[in-house]
Amino acid sequence: MERTHRLKDKVAIVTGAASGIGRAVAARFAAEGATVVLTDKNTADGDEAAAALGKPHRFAALDVRSETEWDAVVADTVERFGRLDVLVNGAGVGIPKSIEDTTLEEWRFVHAVNSEGVFLGCRAAVRAMKEQKSGSIINVSSVAGLIGSPDLAAYCSSKGAVRLLTKSVALHCAKRGYGIRCNSVHPSFVDTPMVRALAGAARDPDKAFEQLAKSAPLGRLGTVEEVAYAILYLASDESTFTTGTEMVIDGGMTAT
Ligand SMILES: NC(=O)c1ccc[n+]([C@@H]2O[C@H](COP(=O)([O-])OP(=O)(O)OC[C@H]3O[C@@H](n4cnc5c(N)ncnc54)[C@H](O)[C@@H]3O)[C@@H](O)[C@H]2O)c1
């Protein structure tokens, strides 16, 4: 992997780093000179992902729904590495169900991870970053946080919440002069285990996978690296005038 140094000396926490987009972000950040704390609730794959990057990168177990685990991971990171420069809220779940089929339990589960988890992460990061008067938070929303999808009721709602929470955090930090930026990214379908599971749940998984790929005008799925590079820009000092914005990475899907 090419090594430049766009995140030299920065300390980053990435959630959902055991798989898919989060794992690619952690690898890209490490290659760009950051020290990365990979977190996930899946400890086996998370450990393996951190070991693949080597020291000083490390894995810390974190279920993003837990307030106490958030506080512990952020405090431990600041104690070990002296600061926290970047938080990427990447952990997420999806349940492919319409408004009629979604149970209250499923609705609450999706929101607990996708919305509440991002709230807890933003709050913990702001508390740590404001002491050092700098920081960048990147929340992984989705095109489903911009446009509706009939079969993703809870997911759309949770990702829409992330879009506007991001703007509230950005404005609060700007108003207080904290030097902390907060932005959201909005990918369309990206080739990860989550999307493969989505296609796998269809009656004809191969056809469903092909349809997902064709849903973007560019005619293919995005790659995890393409999303990681967008997040890298927002994490780096190249984007110091960018806050409260939404970066769309969708092969043209929302341009139609
Ligand atoms: N793949 C896509 O097409 C796509 C498109 C738009 C947005 N997204 C978003 O990107 C993010 C990453 O998705 P992905 O496709 O890489 O999925 P993925 O399933 O490959 O990875 C998600 C990771 O989040 C972790 N996770 C789930 N619940 C958690 C919890 N409570 N606490 C901590 N970790 C938890 C999982 O263990 C997993 O490692 C998600 O927020 C997803 O909604 C994905």
Side-chain angles (χ1 to χ4, degrees):
M1 189 179 274
E2 188 196 346
R3 287 177 188 274
T4 53
H5 287 283
R6 293 169 68 186
L7 297 181
K8 191 170 181 294
D9 298 330
K10 292 200 188 289
V11 176
I13 294 176
V14 180
T15 73
S19 176
I21 292 169
R23 184 168 176 152
V25 167
R28 177 42 50 197
F29 278 16
E32 301 287 347
T35 296
V36 187
V37 177
L38 297 89
T39 72
D40 207 288
K41 73 168 177 35
N42 178 342
T43 52
D45 289 354
D47 261 333
E48 190 263 314
L53 297 180
K55 291 232 175 326
H57 316 293
R58 64 188 306 273
F59 175 72
L62 170 63
D63 185 325
V64 295
R65 294 168 293 182
S66 164
E67 192 171 14
T68 48
E69 285 181 26
W70 263 115
D71 290 345
V73 167
V74 170
D76 182 68
T77 299
V78 172
E79 199 180 309
R80 275 172 200 271
F81 301 114
R83 51 193 297 112
L84 173 63
D85 299 293
V86 181
L87 167 66
V88 179
N89 281 308
V93 292
I95 294 181
K97 288 195 173 179
S98 74
I99 183 65
E100 288 196 78
D101 301 329
T102 305
T103 66
L104 182 58
E105 197 185 8
E106 288 167 338
W107 175 271
R108 286 180 175 156
F109 169 68
V110 170
H111 284 80
V113 180
N114 294 1
S115 310
E116 232 171 82
V118 173
F119 150 68
L120 290 173
C122 288
R123 196 182 62 178
V126 167
R127 286 174 177 165
M129 289 170 170
K130 73 178 185 184
E131 303 300 327
Q132 68 201 29
K133 289 247 169 223
S134 68
S136 177
I137 302 170
I138 300 105
N139 296 327
V140 182
S141 177
S142 167
V143 288
L146 301 173
I147 56 173
S149 172
D151 299 319
L152 291 171
Y155 188 76
C156 283
S157 168
S158 67
K159 292 297 186 180
V162 168
R163 173 174 172 260
L164 278 176
L165 170 68
T166 299
K167 294 181 196 303
S168 178
V169 173
L171 293 175
H172 170 74
C173 293
K175 191 170 142 194
R176 293 287 174 96
Y178 286 167
I180 303 169
R181 298 179 296 110
C182 186
N183 294 286
S184 56
V185 296
H186 300 260
S188 60
F189 296 113
V190 178
D191 192 358
T192 68
M194 182 189 275
V195 157
R196 289 192 176 259
L198 186 67
R203 231 172 290 148
D204 182 345
D206 289 341
K207 197 167 161 213
F209 193 73
E210 206 182 302
Q211 274 170 353
L212 291 180
K214 282 195 186 140
S215 63
L218 287 183
R220 64 173 175 83
L221 298 178
T223 68
V224 288
E225 288 79 17
E226 286 168 327
V227 180
Y229 270 111
I231 293 174
L232 168 63
Y233 168 69
L234 293 171
S236 78
D237 292 340
E238 295 157 14
S239 60
T240 41
F241 200 50
T242 303
T243 195
T245 193
E246 45 203 60
M247 186 177 280
V248 182
I249 310 145
D250 70 346
M253 187 188 274
T254 55
T256 57

